Amino acid sequence: LIRWLDVKRPALRIYIGDDRTDEDAFRAMGRDDITILVGKRRDSFARSRLPDVAAVWKLLSALLTISAPPRSKNRRGHVSG
């Protein structure tokens, strides 16, 4: 997905899954990536866990509230950054 979107700068990568078929993706993600298993299953390569889909929605909603720092204006009032 990162390659398909042609992301040029570092991006926070998050993989959330609830199934054994997600284990390959959990293993493939890097050390700085976030991997989250959803559900009660205990054995997983995911580094974090959420109890259910409602908790996933809560996490995603919280992430959407995080905004980038405001861009600064130069002397002529143009936005830079």
Side-chain angles (χ1 to χ4, degrees):
L1 184 58
I2 298 293
R3 283 190 294 261
W4 181 75
L5 292 172
D6 197 28
V7 175
K8 300 289 187 209
R9 56 187 169 159
L12 174 64
R13 299 188 316 171
I14 302 171
Y15 191 97
I16 302 171
D18 66 350
D19 193 277
R20 291 213 181 270
T21 59
D22 296 306
E23 292 300 319
D24 288 337
F26 291 150
R27 265 194 304 274
M29 299 291 281
R31 291 179 74 184
D32 295 330
D33 299 329
I34 297 171
T35 53
I36 302 171
L37 174 66
V38 180
K40 298 178 194 245
R41 189 168 48 92
R42 295 186 187 269
D43 59 324
S44 178
F45 286 94
R47 291 180 194 89
S48 301
R49 298 177 197 284
L50 288 172
D52 51 36
V53 174
V56 173
W57 283 113
K58 223 177 202 182
L59 171 67
L60 295 175
S61 294
L63 289 174
L64 287 174
T65 64
I66 299 170
S67 64
R71 296 198 237 179
S72 61
K73 291 183 181 179
N74 63 22
R75 288 184 187 173
R76 294 183 183 165
H78 294 104
V79 175
S80 62

Coordinates of all heavy atoms in Angstrom, one line a residue:
L1 N 0.8 -1.2 0.0 CA 0.0 0.0 0.0 C 0.9 1.3 0.0 O 0.6 2.2 -0.7 CB -0.9 0.0 1.2 CG -1.9 1.1 1.3 CD1 -2.8 1.2 0.1 CD2 -2.8 1.0 2.6
I2 N 2.0 1.2 0.8 CA 2.9 2.4 0.8 C 3.4 2.7 -0.6 O 3.5 3.8 -1.0 CB 4.0 2.2 1.9 CG1 3.4 2.0 3.3 CG2 5.0 3.3 1.8 CD1 2.8 3.3 3.8
R3 N 3.9 1.6 -1.2 CA 4.4 1.8 -2.6 C 3.3 2.2 -3.6 O 3.6 3.1 -4.4 CB 5.1 0.5 -3.1 CG 6.4 0.2 -2.5 CD 7.1 -0.9 -3.2 NE 6.5 -2.2 -2.9 CZ 6.8 -3.0 -2.0 NH1 7.9 -2.9 -1.3 NH2 6.1 -4.2 -1.9
W4 N 2.1 1.6 -3.4 CA 1.0 2.0 -4.3 C 0.7 3.4 -4.2 O 0.4 4.1 -5.2 CB -0.1 1.0 -4.1 CG -1.3 1.3 -5.0 CD1 -1.4 0.9 -6.3 CD2 -2.5 1.9 -4.6 NE1 -2.7 1.3 -6.7 CE2 -3.3 1.9 -5.8 CE3 -3.0 2.5 -3.4 CZ2 -4.6 2.5 -5.8 CZ3 -4.3 3.1 -3.5 CH2 -5.0 3.0 -4.6
L5 N 0.6 3.9 -3.0 CA 0.3 5.3 -2.7 C 1.5 6.3 -3.1 O 1.3 7.5 -3.1 CB -0.1 5.5 -1.3 CG -1.4 4.9 -0.8 CD1 -1.6 5.0 0.7 CD2 -2.6 5.5 -1.6
D6 N 2.7 5.7 -3.3 CA 3.9 6.4 -3.7 C 4.2 7.5 -2.6 O 4.4 8.6 -2.9 CB 3.7 7.1 -5.0 CG 5.0 7.6 -5.6 OD1 6.0 6.9 -5.3 OD2 5.0 8.5 -6.4
V7 N 4.2 7.0 -1.3 CA 4.6 7.8 -0.2 C 6.0 8.2 -0.3 O 6.9 7.3 -0.3 CB 4.2 7.1 1.1 CG1 4.6 8.0 2.3 CG2 2.7 6.8 1.2
K8 N 6.4 9.5 -0.3 CA 7.7 9.9 -0.4 C 8.4 10.2 0.9 O 9.6 10.1 1.0 CB 7.8 11.2 -1.2 CG 7.2 11.1 -2.6 CD 8.1 10.3 -3.4 CE 7.6 10.3 -4.9 NZ 7.9 9.2 -5.6
R9 N 7.7 10.4 2.0 CA 8.3 10.7 3.3 C 7.9 9.6 4.2 O 7.0 8.8 4.0 CB 7.9 12.1 3.8 CG 6.4 12.2 3.9 CD 6.1 13.6 4.3 NE 4.6 13.8 4.1 CZ 3.9 14.7 4.7 NH1 4.5 15.6 5.4 NH2 2.7 14.8 4.5
P10 N 8.7 9.5 5.3 CA 8.3 8.5 6.3 C 6.9 8.5 6.8 O 6.3 9.6 6.9 CB 9.3 8.8 7.5 CG 10.4 9.6 6.9 CD 9.8 10.3 5.8
A11 N 6.3 7.4 6.9 CA 4.9 7.3 7.3 C 4.7 6.3 8.5 O 5.5 5.4 8.6 CB 4.0 6.8 6.1
L12 N 3.8 6.6 9.3 CA 3.4 5.7 10.4 C 2.7 4.5 9.7 O 1.6 4.8 9.1 CB 2.6 6.4 11.4 CG 2.0 5.5 12.5 CD1 3.1 4.9 13.4 CD2 1.0 6.3 13.4
R13 N 3.2 3.3 9.9 CA 2.5 2.2 9.3 C 1.9 1.4 10.4 O 2.5 1.0 11.4 CB 3.5 1.3 8.5 CG 4.1 2.2 7.3 CD 4.9 1.4 6.4 NE 5.8 0.4 7.0 CZ 6.5 -0.5 6.3 NH1 6.4 -0.5 5.0 NH2 7.3 -1.3 6.9
I14 N 0.6 1.1 10.2 CA -0.2 0.3 11.2 C -0.9 -0.8 10.5 O -1.5 -0.6 9.4 CB -1.3 1.2 11.8 CG1 -0.6 2.4 12.5 CG2 -2.1 0.4 12.8 CD1 -1.7 3.4 13.0
Y15 N -0.7 -2.0 11.0 CA -1.4 -3.2 10.5 C -2.3 -3.7 11.6 O -1.8 -4.1 12.7 CB -0.5 -4.2 10.0 CG -1.2 -5.3 9.2 CD1 -1.2 -5.2 7.8 CD2 -1.8 -6.4 9.8 CE1 -1.9 -6.2 7.1 CE2 -2.5 -7.3 9.1 CZ -2.5 -7.3 7.7 OH -3.2 -8.2 7.0
I16 N -3.6 -3.9 11.4 CA -4.5 -4.4 12.4 C -5.2 -5.6 11.8 O -5.7 -5.6 10.6 CB -5.6 -3.3 12.7 CG1 -4.9 -2.0 13.2 CG2 -6.6 -3.9 13.7 CD1 -5.9 -0.9 13.4
G17 N -5.2 -6.7 12.5 CA -5.8 -7.9 12.0 C -6.3 -8.8 13.1 O -6.0 -8.6 14.3
D18 N -7.3 -9.7 12.7 CA -7.9 -10.5 13.7 C -7.9 -12.0 13.4 O -8.6 -12.8 14.0 CB -9.4 -10.0 13.9 CG -10.2 -10.3 12.6 OD1 -9.6 -10.6 11.6 OD2 -11.4 -10.1 12.7
D19 N -7.0 -12.4 12.5 CA -7.1 -13.7 12.0 C -5.6 -14.3 11.8 O -4.7 -13.5 11.7 CB -7.7 -13.6 10.6 CG -8.2 -15.0 10.1 OD1 -7.3 -15.6 9.5 OD2 -9.3 -15.3 10.3
R20 N -5.5 -15.6 11.8 CA -4.2 -16.2 11.6 C -3.6 -15.8 10.2 O -2.4 -15.8 10.1 CB -4.3 -17.7 11.7 CG -4.6 -18.2 13.1 CD -4.0 -19.5 13.3 NE -4.3 -20.0 14.7 CZ -3.6 -19.7 15.7 NH1 -2.5 -19.0 15.6 NH2 -4.0 -20.1 16.9
T21 N -4.5 -15.5 9.3 CA -4.0 -15.1 8.0 C -3.2 -13.7 8.0 O -2.5 -13.4 7.1 CB -5.1 -15.0 6.9 OG1 -6.0 -14.0 7.4 CG2 -5.7 -16.4 6.7
D22 N -3.4 -13.0 9.1 CA -2.7 -11.7 9.3 C -1.3 -11.9 9.8 O -0.5 -10.9 9.8 CB -3.5 -10.8 10.2 CG -4.8 -10.4 9.6 OD1 -4.8 -9.9 8.5 OD2 -5.8 -10.6 10.3
E23 N -0.9 -13.1 10.3 CA 0.4 -13.3 10.9 C 1.5 -13.0 10.0 O 2.6 -12.5 10.4 CB 0.5 -14.7 11.5 CG -0.5 -14.9 12.7 CD -0.2 -14.0 13.9 OE1 1.0 -13.7 14.2 OE2 -1.1 -13.5 14.5
D24 N 1.4 -13.4 8.7 CA 2.5 -13.1 7.8 C 2.8 -11.6 7.7 O 3.9 -11.1 7.6 CB 2.2 -13.6 6.4 CG 2.2 -15.1 6.3 OD1 2.9 -15.7 7.1 OD2 1.6 -15.7 5.4
A25 N 1.7 -10.8 7.7 CA 1.9 -9.3 7.7 C 2.5 -8.8 9.0 O 3.4 -8.0 9.0 CB 0.5 -8.6 7.4
F26 N 2.0 -9.4 10.1 CA 2.6 -9.0 11.4 C 4.1 -9.2 11.4 O 4.9 -8.4 11.8 CB 2.0 -9.7 12.5 CG 0.6 -9.4 12.8 CD1 -0.3 -10.3 13.4 CD2 0.1 -8.1 12.6 CE1 -1.6 -10.0 13.7 CE2 -1.3 -7.8 12.9 CZ -2.1 -8.7 13.4
R27 N 4.5 -10.4 10.9 CA 6.0 -10.7 10.8 C 6.7 -9.8 9.8 O 7.9 -9.5 10.1 CB 6.1 -12.2 10.3 CG 6.3 -13.2 11.4 CD 6.8 -14.5 10.9 NE 5.9 -15.1 9.9 CZ 4.9 -15.8 10.1 NH1 4.5 -16.1 11.3 NH2 4.2 -16.3 9.1
A28 N 6.1 -9.4 8.8 CA 6.8 -8.6 7.7 C 7.0 -7.2 8.1 O 7.8 -6.5 7.5 CB 6.0 -8.7 6.4
M29 N 6.2 -6.7 9.0 CA 6.3 -5.3 9.4 C 7.6 -5.0 10.1 O 8.2 -5.9 10.8 CB 5.1 -4.9 10.3 CG 3.7 -5.1 9.6 SD 3.4 -3.9 8.3 CE 2.9 -2.5 9.2
G30 N 8.1 -3.7 10.0 CA 9.3 -3.4 10.6 C 9.2 -3.1 12.1 O 8.1 -3.0 12.7
R31 N 10.3 -2.8 12.7 CA 10.4 -2.6 14.2 C 9.6 -1.3 14.6 O 9.1 -1.2 15.7 CB 11.8 -2.5 14.6 CG 12.6 -3.8 14.6 CD 14.0 -3.6 15.0 NE 14.0 -3.4 16.5 CZ 15.0 -3.2 17.2 NH1 16.2 -3.0 16.6 NH2 15.0 -3.1 18.5
D32 N 9.6 -0.3 13.7 CA 9.0 0.9 14.0 C 7.5 1.0 13.6 O 6.8 2.0 13.9 CB 9.7 2.1 13.3 CG 11.1 2.3 13.9 OD1 11.3 2.0 15.1 OD2 12.0 2.7 13.1
D33 N 7.0 -0.1 13.0 CA 5.6 -0.2 12.6 C 4.8 -0.7 13.8 O 5.3 -1.3 14.7 CB 5.5 -1.1 11.4 CG 6.3 -0.7 10.2 OD1 6.4 0.5 10.0 OD2 6.7 -1.6 9.5
I34 N 3.5 -0.4 13.7 CA 2.6 -0.8 14.7 C 1.8 -2.0 14.2 O 1.1 -1.9 13.1 CB 1.6 0.4 15.1 CG1 2.5 1.5 15.7 CG2 0.6 -0.1 16.1 CD1 1.7 2.8 15.9
T35 N 1.8 -3.1 15.0 CA 1.0 -4.3 14.6 C 0.0 -4.5 15.8 O 0.4 -4.6 16.9 CB 1.9 -5.5 14.3 OG1 2.8 -5.7 15.4 CG2 2.7 -5.3 13.1
I36 N -1.2 -4.7 15.4 CA -2.2 -4.9 16.5 C -3.1 -6.1 16.1 O -3.7 -6.2 15.1 CB -3.1 -3.7 16.6 CG1 -2.3 -2.4 16.9 CG2 -4.2 -3.9 17.6 CD1 -3.1 -1.1 16.8
L37 N -3.2 -7.1 17.1 CA -4.1 -8.2 17.0 C -5.4 -7.8 17.7 O -5.4 -7.3 18.8 CB -3.5 -9.4 17.7 CG -4.4 -10.6 17.8 CD1 -4.7 -11.2 16.4 CD2 -3.8 -11.7 18.7
V38 N -6.5 -8.1 17.0 CA -7.8 -7.8 17.6 C -8.4 -9.2 18.0 O -8.5 -10.1 17.3 CB -8.7 -7.2 16.5 CG1 -10.1 -6.9 17.2 CG2 -8.1 -5.9 16.0
G39 N -8.8 -9.2 19.3 CA -9.4 -10.4 19.8 C -8.7 -11.0 21.0 O -7.7 -10.5 21.5
K40 N -9.1 -12.2 21.4 CA -8.6 -12.9 22.6 C -7.5 -13.9 22.3 O -6.8 -14.3 23.2 CB -9.7 -13.6 23.3 CG -10.8 -12.6 23.7 CD -11.9 -13.4 24.4 CE -13.1 -12.5 24.5 NZ -13.5 -12.1 25.8
R41 N -7.2 -14.2 21.1 CA -6.2 -15.2 20.7 C -4.8 -14.7 21.3 O -4.5 -13.5 21.3 CB -6.1 -15.4 19.2 CG -5.2 -16.5 18.8 CD -5.4 -16.8 17.3 NE -5.3 -15.6 16.5 CZ -4.2 -15.2 15.9 NH1 -3.1 -15.8 16.1 NH2 -4.3 -14.1 15.1
R42 N -4.1 -15.6 21.9 CA -2.8 -15.2 22.6 C -1.6 -15.3 21.7 O -0.7 -14.5 21.8 CB -2.7 -16.0 23.8 CG -3.7 -15.8 24.9 CD -3.4 -16.5 26.1 NE -4.5 -16.4 27.1 CZ -4.6 -15.5 28.0 NH1 -3.7 -14.6 28.1 NH2 -5.7 -15.5 28.8
D43 N -1.5 -16.3 20.9 CA -0.2 -16.5 20.1 C -0.3 -15.6 18.9 O -1.1 -15.8 18.0 CB 0.0 -18.0 19.8 CG -1.2 -18.5 19.0 OD1 -2.3 -18.2 19.3 OD2 -0.9 -19.4 18.1
S44 N 0.7 -14.7 18.8 CA 0.7 -13.8 17.6 C 2.0 -13.1 17.5 O 2.7 -12.9 18.5 CB -0.4 -12.7 17.7 OG -0.4 -11.8 16.6
F45 N 2.4 -12.7 16.3 CA 3.5 -11.8 16.1 C 3.2 -10.4 16.3 O 4.1 -9.5 16.2 CB 4.1 -12.1 14.7 CG 4.9 -13.4 14.6 CD1 4.2 -14.5 14.2 CD2 6.2 -13.5 15.0 CE1 4.9 -15.7 14.1 CE2 6.8 -14.7 15.0 CZ 6.2 -15.8 14.5
A46 N 2.0 -10.0 16.5 CA 1.6 -8.6 16.7 C 2.2 -8.1 18.0 O 2.3 -8.9 19.0 CB 0.0 -8.5 16.7
R47 N 2.6 -6.9 18.0 CA 3.2 -6.3 19.2 C 2.2 -5.7 20.2 O 2.5 -5.5 21.3 CB 4.2 -5.2 18.8 CG 5.4 -5.8 18.1 CD 6.4 -4.7 17.7 NE 7.3 -5.2 16.7 CZ 7.2 -5.2 15.4 NH1 6.1 -4.7 14.9 NH2 8.1 -5.7 14.6
S48 N 1.0 -5.5 19.7 CA -0.1 -4.9 20.6 C -1.4 -5.7 20.3 O -1.5 -6.4 19.4 CB -0.3 -3.4 20.2 OG 0.9 -2.7 20.4
R49 N -2.3 -5.4 21.2 CA -3.6 -6.1 21.1 C -4.8 -5.1 21.5 O -4.6 -4.2 22.3 CB -3.7 -7.3 22.1 CG -2.7 -8.3 21.9 CD -2.8 -9.4 22.9 NE -1.6 -10.3 22.9 CZ -1.3 -11.2 22.0 NH1 -2.1 -11.4 21.0 NH2 -0.2 -11.9 22.0
L50 N -5.9 -5.4 20.8 CA -7.1 -4.7 21.2 C -8.2 -5.7 21.4 O -8.2 -6.8 20.7 CB -7.5 -3.7 20.1 CG -6.7 -2.4 20.0 CD1 -7.1 -1.6 18.7 CD2 -6.8 -1.6 21.2
P51 N -9.1 -5.5 22.3 CA -10.1 -6.6 22.6 C -11.1 -6.9 21.6 O -11.6 -8.0 21.4 CB -10.7 -6.1 23.9 CG -10.5 -4.6 23.9 CD -9.3 -4.4 23.2
D52 N -11.5 -5.8 20.8 CA -12.6 -6.0 19.9 C -12.6 -4.9 18.8 O -11.8 -3.9 18.9 CB -13.9 -6.1 20.6 CG -14.1 -4.9 21.5 OD1 -13.7 -3.8 21.2 OD2 -14.7 -5.1 22.6
V53 N -13.5 -5.0 17.9 CA -13.6 -4.0 16.8 C -14.0 -2.6 17.3 O -13.5 -1.6 16.8 CB -14.6 -4.5 15.7 CG1 -14.9 -3.4 14.7 CG2 -14.2 -5.8 15.1
A54 N -14.8 -2.6 18.3 CA -15.1 -1.3 18.9 C -13.9 -0.5 19.4 O -13.7 0.7 19.2 CB -16.1 -1.4 20.1
A55 N -12.9 -1.3 19.9 CA -11.7 -0.6 20.4 C -10.8 -0.2 19.2 O -10.1 0.8 19.3 CB -10.9 -1.6 21.2
V56 N -10.9 -0.9 18.1 CA -10.2 -0.5 16.8 C -10.8 0.9 16.4 O -10.0 1.8 16.1 CB -10.3 -1.5 15.7 CG1 -9.8 -1.0 14.4 CG2 -9.7 -2.8 16.1
W57 N -12.1 1.0 16.3 CA -12.7 2.2 15.9 C -12.3 3.4 16.8 O -12.1 4.5 16.4 CB -14.2 2.1 15.8 CG -14.7 1.4 14.6 CD1 -15.3 0.2 14.6 CD2 -14.5 1.8 13.3 NE1 -15.5 -0.2 13.3 CE2 -15.0 0.8 12.4 CE3 -14.0 2.9 12.7 CZ2 -15.0 0.9 11.1 CZ3 -14.0 3.0 11.3 CH2 -14.5 2.0 10.5
K58 N -12.2 3.1 18.1 CA -11.8 4.1 19.1 C -10.4 4.6 18.8 O -10.1 5.8 18.8 CB -11.9 3.5 20.5 CG -12.5 4.4 21.5 CD -12.6 3.7 22.8 CE -13.6 4.3 23.7 NZ -13.7 3.7 25.0
L59 N -9.5 3.6 18.5 CA -8.1 4.0 18.2 C -8.0 4.8 16.9 O -7.4 5.8 16.9 CB -7.3 2.7 18.1 CG -5.9 2.9 17.5 CD1 -5.0 3.7 18.5 CD2 -5.3 1.6 17.1
L60 N -8.7 4.4 15.9 CA -8.7 5.1 14.6 C -9.2 6.5 14.8 O -8.7 7.4 14.2 CB -9.4 4.3 13.5 CG -8.8 3.0 13.2 CD1 -9.6 2.2 12.2 CD2 -7.3 3.1 12.6
S61 N -10.3 6.6 15.5 CA -10.9 8.0 15.8 C -9.9 8.9 16.5 O -9.8 10.0 16.2 CB -12.2 7.8 16.6 OG -13.1 7.2 15.9
A62 N -9.2 8.3 17.5 CA -8.2 9.1 18.2 C -7.1 9.5 17.3 O -6.6 10.6 17.4 CB -7.7 8.3 19.4
L63 N -6.6 8.6 16.4 CA -5.6 9.0 15.5 C -6.0 10.1 14.5 O -5.2 10.9 14.2 CB -5.1 7.7 14.7 CG -4.4 6.7 15.4 CD1 -4.1 5.4 14.6 CD2 -3.0 7.2 16.0
L64 N -7.2 10.1 14.2 CA -7.7 11.2 13.3 C -7.7 12.5 13.9 O -7.7 13.6 13.3 CB -9.1 10.8 12.8 CG -9.2 9.7 11.7 CD1 -10.6 9.4 11.4 CD2 -8.4 10.1 10.5
T65 N -7.8 12.6 15.2 CA -7.8 13.9 15.9 C -6.4 14.5 16.0 O -6.2 15.6 16.4 CB -8.3 13.7 17.4 OG1 -7.5 12.9 18.1 CG2 -9.7 13.2 17.3
I66 N -5.4 13.6 15.8 CA -4.0 14.1 15.8 C -3.7 14.9 14.5 O -3.9 14.4 13.4 CB -3.0 13.0 15.9 CG1 -3.2 12.2 17.2 CG2 -1.5 13.5 15.9 CD1 -2.4 10.9 17.3
S67 N -3.3 16.1 14.7 CA -3.0 16.9 13.5 C -1.6 17.3 13.4 O -0.9 17.3 14.4 CB -3.9 18.2 13.4 OG -3.5 19.0 14.5
A68 N -1.1 17.6 12.2 CA 0.2 18.1 12.0 C 0.4 19.5 12.5 O -0.6 20.2 12.7 CB 0.5 18.1 10.5
P69 N 1.6 19.9 12.9 CA 1.8 21.2 13.4 C 1.4 22.2 12.4 O 1.6 22.0 11.2 CB 3.3 21.3 13.8 CG 3.9 20.0 13.2 CD 2.8 19.1 12.9
P70 N 0.9 23.4 12.8 CA 0.6 24.4 11.8 C 1.8 24.9 11.0 O 2.9 24.9 11.6 CB 0.0 25.5 12.7 CG 0.5 25.3 14.0 CD 0.8 23.8 14.2
R71 N 1.5 25.2 9.8 CA 2.6 25.7 8.9 C 2.9 27.2 9.3 O 1.9 27.9 9.6 CB 2.2 25.6 7.5 CG 2.1 24.2 7.0 CD 2.2 24.1 5.6 NE 1.0 23.5 5.0 CZ 0.8 23.4 3.7 NH1 1.8 23.8 2.8 NH2 -0.2 22.8 3.2
S72 N 4.1 27.6 9.2 CA 4.4 29.0 9.5 C 4.3 29.9 8.3 O 4.3 29.4 7.2 CB 5.9 29.0 10.0 OG 6.8 28.6 9.0
K73 N 4.0 31.1 8.6 CA 3.8 32.1 7.5 C 5.1 32.9 7.4 O 5.7 33.3 8.4 CB 2.6 33.0 7.7 CG 1.3 32.3 7.6 CD 0.2 33.3 7.8 CE -1.1 32.6 7.7 NZ -2.2 33.5 7.9
N74 N 5.5 33.2 6.2 CA 6.7 34.1 6.0 C 6.2 35.6 6.1 O 5.0 35.9 6.3 CB 7.5 33.8 4.8 CG 6.7 34.0 3.5 OD1 5.7 34.8 3.5 ND2 7.1 33.4 2.4
R75 N 7.1 36.5 5.9 CA 6.7 38.0 6.1 C 5.6 38.4 5.1 O 4.9 39.3 5.4 CB 8.0 38.8 5.8 CG 8.9 38.7 7.0 CD 10.1 39.7 6.7 NE 11.1 39.5 7.7 CZ 12.2 40.1 7.7 NH1 12.5 40.9 6.7 NH2 13.1 39.8 8.6
R76 N 5.5 37.8 4.0 CA 4.5 38.2 3.0 C 3.2 37.5 3.2 O 2.3 37.7 2.4 CB 5.1 37.9 1.6 CG 6.3 38.8 1.2 CD 6.7 38.5 -0.2 NE 7.9 39.3 -0.5 CZ 8.6 39.1 -1.5 NH1 8.3 38.2 -2.3 NH2 9.7 39.8 -1.7
G77 N 3.1 36.7 4.2 CA 1.8 36.0 4.5 C 1.7 34.7 3.8 O 0.6 34.1 3.8
H78 N 2.7 34.3 3.0 CA 2.7 33.0 2.3 C 2.9 31.9 3.3 O 3.8 32.0 4.2 CB 3.7 33.0 1.2 CG 3.3 34.0 0.1 ND1 4.0 35.1 0.0 CD2 2.4 33.9 -0.9 CE1 3.5 35.8 -1.1 NE2 2.5 35.1 -1.6
V79 N 2.2 30.8 3.1 CA 2.4 29.6 4.0 C 3.6 28.8 3.4 O 3.8 28.6 2.2 CB 1.2 28.7 4.0 CG1 1.4 27.5 4.7 CG2 0.0 29.5 4.5
S80 N 4.5 28.4 4.4 CA 5.7 27.6 4.0 C 5.6 26.3 4.7 O 5.0 26.2 5.7 CB 7.0 28.4 4.3 OG 7.1 28.6 5.7
G81 N 6.3 25.3 4.2 CA 6.4 24.1 4.9 C 6.0 22.9 4.2 O 5.3 22.4 3.7

